[in-house]
Amino acid sequence: MSAAPDRRDFAGSRHNPPAVAWPNGAKVAVSLVVNVEEGAELSVADGDERNEPIYEVVDDVGRQPDPCLESHYGYGPRAGYDRIAGLLDDHGVRATFSTCGRAAERSPFLIRDAAARGHEISAHGWRWERHAGMAEEAERAIIAKTHRRLAEIAGRAPVGWHTRSASSVNTRRLLVEHGGFLYDSDAYDDDMPYLASVGGREHVVMPYAFDTNDMRFQPGGAFVRAADFSGYCLDAFERLRKEGRKAPRMLSIGLHLRIIGRPARIAGLEALLEGLAASGEAWIATRAEIAAHWRAAVGLPAFVPVEGASTVA
């Protein structure tokens, strides 16, 4: 008797990668993801059940307001964003701003400015929180609310979603049922996009990464100096560039306003952008652009949001 198929796919397309070529002869599609979470982190002062315990130090004041924590998160919109956005402009590249709904409500000027500069605004949940264990109806409502408010604030509906770390067992299905999402980034299992069949529809999965990510400047991480970040990310790019001569490769680089936006760290992003440009083999694109290109390259029609998806209650 043959064994039942495993619910987890450990093989992927490693032995038969799709024949996807990136634009202009690039060997690696590079996705810069700027996470906008400030104002959406858990805060007792906002009526949340607890405070977010991690910022530049690990601390927990219990179930009482924490003005210190809020000040640390406030640095991103007040100072970090302008450094990051200016540097992206200087290099003529567009990023994906993965944005929590509550953060967008608190800093609509930032989201509108990023959209006006040509960056993608994607969805990062309402609050900056895990969805694991969340009741299905509550999660469905959060997805719809986040999509609707980001569309209203940015002037264009988001087509991407990324849950903070742990999604629920229902998240991807709910995204597809909503009808407004081209892709999600709730996976960490590959160096290229791939398709997931959900409810009879082909949905693009855009794997994310925690190693090529400025979060490693945080307590317990491996990055201290700006060069630690740029060096590590460029090492990843060089390896993927070699592999990209035989199979499509994608590099996700995670950024945060309050982290890479610090004056001692921003040079790491600058050196990274310079190194990618010098290679001549990096296609720096938004996640929506990469996902749309992937669909077309594997023979699927262009993604069209379900009519009324932005107004789902």
Side-chain angles (χ1 to χ4, degrees):
M1 179 182 293
S2 61
D6 198 311
R7 63 182 177 81
R8 299 171 68 187
D9 178 9
F10 288 120
S13 59
R14 55 197 293 265
H15 296 306
N16 187 30
V20 174
W22 302 123
N24 302 318
K27 297 301 182 286
V28 183
V30 179
S31 167
L32 301 171
V33 180
V34 182
N35 294 279
V36 184
E37 300 152 348
E38 292 82 358
E41 80 279 3
L42 299 185
S43 173
V44 169
D46 283 332
D48 297 328
E49 63 273 17
R50 62 177 177 83
N51 293 311
E52 176 65 36
I54 300 174
Y55 37 101
E56 292 290 335
V57 297
V58 179
D59 198 7
D60 186 356
V61 301
R63 299 178 66 84
Q64 58 184 327
D66 188 350
C68 180
L69 176 142
E70 293 188 341
S71 182
H72 277 281
Y73 278 83
Y75 186 88
R78 291 170 65 99
Y81 170 75
D82 286 340
R83 289 194 183 103
I84 296 168
L87 198 54
L88 295 175
D89 280 353
D90 290 345
H91 287 266
V93 299
R94 293 183 295 181
T96 294
F97 279 68
S98 186
T99 306
C100 294
R102 193 167 79 178
E105 281 203 331
R106 286 186 142 147
S107 301
F109 59 90
L110 188 156
I111 302 309
R112 292 182 185 126
D113 183 75
R117 293 173 190 251
H119 301 299
E120 175 194 2
I121 308 299
S122 67
H124 196 24
W126 183 255
R127 301 191 306 179
W128 187 44
E129 63 179 339
R130 302 171 183 87
H131 281 209
M134 189 177 286
E136 181 172 331
E137 286 306 311
E139 185 173 18
R140 180 180 284 110
I142 285 172
I143 289 170
K145 179 182 180 182
T146 304
H147 187 274
R148 183 176 62 251
R149 284 299 289 136
L150 288 179
E152 292 168 350
I153 293 169
R156 182 175 182 180
V159 296
W161 176 277
H162 186 202
T163 312
R164 176 185 178 175
S165 296
S167 58
S168 81
V169 296
N170 301 311
T171 305
R172 183 164 294 153
R173 173 176 58 82
L174 293 174
L175 294 172
V176 173
E177 289 177 1
H178 177 278
F181 293 95
L182 160 66
Y183 72 88
D184 76 68
S185 298
D186 288 344
Y188 306 82
D189 54 2
D190 216 323
D191 294 310
M192 69 176 89
Y194 58 88
L195 298 178
S197 294
V198 183
R201 283 183 267 180
E202 295 299 319
H203 177 73
V204 181
V205 178
M206 297 279 289
Y208 192 55
F210 278 176
D211 66 321
T212 48
N213 195 307
D214 69 359
M215 63 189 282
R216 298 180 70 202
F217 280 112
Q218 297 289 68
F223 298 159
V224 178
R225 301 182 65 85
D228 297 336
F229 169 78
S230 58
Y232 187 92
C233 291
L234 287 171
D235 284 348
F237 172 77
E238 287 302 323
R239 178 64 194 186
L240 293 176
R241 180 159 67 143
K242 292 178 182 178
E243 295 178 2
R245 286 164 169 72
K246 297 181 180 179
R249 290 292 181 257
M250 180 181 76
L251 174 62
S252 291
I253 297 170
L255 307 168
H256 298 75
L257 303 181
R258 64 189 179 278
I259 302 178
I260 202 68
R262 289 278 175 178
R265 298 169 180 161
I266 193 68
L269 177 58
E270 186 171 30
L272 171 61
L273 294 175
E274 290 172 351
L276 293 173
S279 76
E281 294 187 319
W283 177 43
I284 305 177
T286 68
R287 289 176 98 70
E289 290 171 332
I290 297 170
H293 181 89
W294 191 266
R295 278 185 64 95
V298 298
L300 291 174
F303 171 77
V304 179
V306 171
E307 186 175 355
S310 291
T311 58
V312 173

